[in-house]
Amino acid sequence: MDITEVAKVSGLPASTIRYYEEKGLIQSCGRNGLRRLFSAHVIERLALISLGRSAGFSLDEIAEMFTPEGPDINRALLLAKANELDRTIEMLTAMRDGLRHAAVCKAPSHFECPKFLRLLRIAGKNRFRQPNKLKENKLKREKQKT
């Protein structure tokens, strides 16, 4: 398949496909003139990359899951990401509920509403990014290997 076909089937722009190749996430198997050629298996790999990106994995984290023998998905990393998503869902659910309440709250001022004040506290806690637990786990694994 040439890069145009891959782009059409995968729904990704050719520039993204070239970038993924540059990052080592996918490999072309040749060229037809100036166009890169890919095996049909690249579609499955691109879908796996898209799934990982949708779940919040970085491209570097996804690249670690690919070996020459095929994907080697770290189950502990998946569990850590799932737990991170649970925390995000919990926070977003609380914010959604608070916003809905604030929209219909009968209090004269939002700052007199306990639910709105709770929403502000939640937002205040998230002003600074929390440390990336996945990167911390990666560093721990690397230290254990040496």
Side-chain angles (χ1 to χ4, degrees), residues 70-127:
D72 181 21
I73 298 173
N74 180 327
R75 292 174 190 269
L77 190 63
L78 293 180
L79 186 57
K81 181 55 76 175
N83 291 336
E84 186 180 314
L85 288 171
D86 282 339
R87 288 187 298 276
T88 301
I89 289 167
E90 185 179 300
M91 182 209 46
L92 290 172
T93 299
M95 290 182 80
R96 179 204 61 204
D97 294 347
L99 290 171
R100 286 186 174 152
H101 173 78
V104 298
C105 183
K106 303 288 188 224
S109 163
H110 291 315
F111 293 99
E112 295 176 37
C113 173
K115 285 191 175 186
F116 184 76
L117 293 174
R118 192 180 95 204
L119 177 64
L120 288 179
R121 281 193 305 278
I122 292 169
K125 287 180 184 177
N126 293 307
R127 279 183 294 188

Side-chain angles (χ1 to χ4, degrees), residues 3 7 10 16 18 31 36 38-39 45 52-53 64 66 70 94-95 112 115 119 121 123 132 134 140 146:
I3 194 166
S10 69
T16 299
R18 287 190 294 273
R31 290 193 177 262
R36 291 171 170 88
F38 296 90
S39 75
R45 186 169 271 219
R53 294 294 292 147
E64 289 179 14
F66 292 136
M95 290 182 80
E112 295 176 37
K115 285 191 175 186
L119 177 64
R121 281 193 305 278
N132 188 332
L134 298 175
K140 287 178 188 175
T146 57

Side-chain angles (χ1 to χ4, degrees), residues 27-83:
Q27 295 176 338
S28 60
C29 58
R31 290 193 177 262
N32 182 10
L34 294 176
R35 291 184 181 214
R36 291 171 170 88
L37 297 175
F38 296 90
S39 75
H41 298 290
V42 77
I43 300 301
E44 183 177 283
R45 186 169 271 219
L46 289 170
L48 192 54
I49 294 167
S50 293
L51 177 63
R53 294 294 292 147
S54 295
F57 287 100
S58 70
L59 289 178
D60 290 336
E61 290 169 330
I62 293 168
E64 289 179 14
M65 295 181 198
F66 292 136
T67 67
E69 296 80 35
D72 181 21
I73 298 173
N74 180 327
R75 292 174 190 269
L77 190 63
L78 293 180
L79 186 57
K81 181 55 76 175
N83 291 336

